[in-house]
Amino acid sequence: MFRLNPDRFAARYGPEWLAAATWYRENSPAVPDDPDLVLRHLDHPAVAQKIEAEFAADTRRRAAMFEALSYGSASFLLTTPGPSLSGVLLDALGTPRQRAWFRELVSTTRCRTFFAVTEPGRGSDAAHLDTTLRDGRLTGEKVLFGNGAVAPVGTVLARTGDGPLDLVAVLMTPELIESGAVRRRVLPMFALPGAQLSELRVDGLRVPPEAVLGSHLKATERGMMGMLKTFHRFRPGVAAMALGHAQALVDYVRDHVGAARPELDRFDQMLERSRELNAAAAREVDEEPLRGALVSLAKQRATAAAEEVAAVLARELPVAALVDHPWLARSLTDVVAYEFMEGTTPIQLANVHAGYLRREVPV
């Protein structure tokens, strides 16, 4: 009953990701109780396809892939191995050797990765982190980042001093993670449990110079500017996940419940407008990685659109539909997570306002 309509999927997204999205949808009911299910199916063609495509993708292609797979199951997508944000960060700051090592590890072992920015006392304010890398030792605490306790490799943002250029990224290799100076745990989750939001504490971890990203670059290239490029390039992917998730809800209700039909047509139009905006933002950030205002607008609009779809459907659908369709009930709940991925609405709107003042956003 919860399976996707292959003809509808192919008409909207094309055939490339149909098999993978179908597999995602079929496995999605198990994710809340078994978020590590994918680790028992690493030989499935969809796993290798996603990893290879993600490494090769520019921002727009990554967003298109994430929307198609999120249409299958956003929660299962978040459990699936791939370079994710760390891959984008290494593209911006890594040496050829670091990038090759990372790609080889992720591709051959088909492992998950993490990207740790958020802190208990600082949130995601990368300019004022408490985590430090001083005298070659990493100390600090990170929280609320995906797969942080289950991935064998990832990246951690830290400060080397108090200046605006003193922001660095550390490549956390399996050896560093298992050194004894790192403690990790998965946090309880209400929505999108496949993300396995985590907490990580590091106490005086000795970091070798080759694990620090961007040492070969100018300070202005490896500091906040490098991080902004990473956030800007990945944000359309998060917007795309929200859009794919919302579109899946609309199509599921259309195919299996048959209620709220006038609203469904309106949702299709709203999601298509947001999809076009996100594609335009992705194109712009590939050309100008530091122009993030349109990307922030696209992420905010995609999140708002997904939340409107979920709120209206939850209000308009009969209770029996949620009882008879547990996939639908679970998916309506999961939508609330996108607000907190890659920046909340106030952060995005502040970026849009700053971009408007710089004349980056058309009236």
Side-chain angles (χ1 to χ4, degrees):
M1 180 67 76
F2 57 86
R3 291 180 174 85
L4 59 80
N5 182 319
D7 294 332
R8 192 183 298 280
F9 179 94
R12 178 169 285 113
Y13 298 113
E16 180 182 6
W17 294 103
L18 174 58
T22 300
W23 185 60
Y24 278 29
R25 180 71 66 87
E26 290 172 350
N27 282 284
S28 60
V31 171
D33 297 321
D34 189 9
D36 293 328
L37 169 68
V38 70
L39 300 183
R40 299 192 295 278
H41 299 278
L42 294 180
D43 59 343
H44 194 282
V47 177
Q49 182 191 18
K50 187 252 187 182
I51 292 173
E52 293 169 5
E54 194 174 352
F55 270 119
D58 58 17
T59 304
R60 188 180 184 188
R61 287 196 293 266
R62 184 186 303 110
M65 174 180 65
F66 279 9
E67 181 174 349
L69 294 179
S70 183
Y71 185 96
S73 169
S75 199
F76 193 74
L77 169 60
L78 291 169
T79 75
T80 308
S84 192
L85 256 168
S86 284
V88 180
L89 182 64
L90 267 98
D91 282 343
L93 302 182
T95 64
R97 177 174 292 185
Q98 288 169 331
R99 293 197 300 270
W101 177 88
F102 179 79
R103 181 166 188 159
E104 176 73 11
L105 177 70
V106 175
S107 297
T108 57
T109 67
R110 298 185 180 180
C111 66
R112 295 177 286 202
T113 63
F114 66 82
F115 182 87
V117 179
T118 307
E119 298 181 350
R122 296 291 188 179
S124 57
D125 183 3
H128 299 93
L129 300 177
D130 289 327
T131 300
T132 60
L133 178 65
R134 292 197 170 98
D135 298 322
R137 292 193 177 273
L138 183 67
T139 299
E141 182 177 359
K142 301 293 185 179
V143 70
L144 299 175
F145 60 103
N147 289 318
V150 297
V153 65
T155 49
V156 171
L157 297 196
R159 299 196 63 80
T160 58
D162 299 324
L165 302 179
D166 295 328
L167 183 66
V168 298
V170 175
L171 177 58
M172 298 290 286
T173 65
E175 293 76 19
L176 292 179
I177 292 173
E178 299 300 327
S179 66
V182 179
R183 291 175 292 165
R184 309 188 291 172
R185 70 184 181 101
V186 176
L187 300 171
M189 294 188 63
F190 173 72
L192 280 185
Q196 297 198 79
L197 296 184
S198 302
E199 176 186 76
L200 178 148
R201 297 184 181 184
V202 187
D203 185 13
L205 173 67
R206 174 64 71 180
V207 176
E210 60 269 21
V212 179
L213 302 179
S215 298
H216 62 300
L217 300 174
K218 298 177 182 178
T220 53
E221 296 174 331
R222 68 173 178 264
M224 183 57 70
M225 294 301 100
M227 306 308 167
L228 286 176
K229 291 177 183 178
T230 299
F231 298 142
H232 293 168
R233 284 171 170 156
F234 202 77
R235 203 160 271 158
V238 176
M241 288 178 61
L243 294 175
H245 190 147
Q247 191 68 65
L249 285 171
V250 171
D251 290 348
Y252 185 93
V253 170
R254 180 179 282 117
D255 290 338
H256 300 294
V257 181
R261 289 192 179 278
E263 293 285 12
L264 300 183
D265 294 337
R266 180 175 70 85
F267 290 156
D268 281 337
Q269 297 172 8
M270 177 179 67
L271 293 173
E272 181 58 28
R273 290 194 298 270
S274 189
R275 187 175 293 117
E276 292 172 355
L277 174 62
N278 197 42
R283 284 194 300 270
E284 179 176 90
V285 81
D286 273 332
E287 296 172 359
E288 298 287 347
L290 289 176
R291 291 173 65 96
L294 196 60
V295 166
S296 285
L297 179 61
K299 194 274 177 176
Q300 184 275 326
R301 294 303 301 269
T303 299
E307 289 178 347
E308 181 177 350
V309 168
V312 171
L313 291 180
R315 183 177 68 245
E316 297 295 329
L317 294 178
V319 174
L322 303 182
V323 174
D324 295 339
H325 300 273
W327 180 90
L328 177 60
R330 174 80 251 180
S331 296
L332 287 171
T333 299
D334 284 346
V335 166
V336 300
Y338 297 109
E339 169 66 12
F340 305 97
M341 297 172 67
E342 290 305 305
T344 59
T345 292
I347 293 173
Q348 307 301 343
L349 293 182
N351 292 342
V352 173
H353 179 252
Y356 172 74
L357 295 178
R358 295 191 300 267
R359 300 187 177 182
E360 293 179 7
V361 181
V363 177

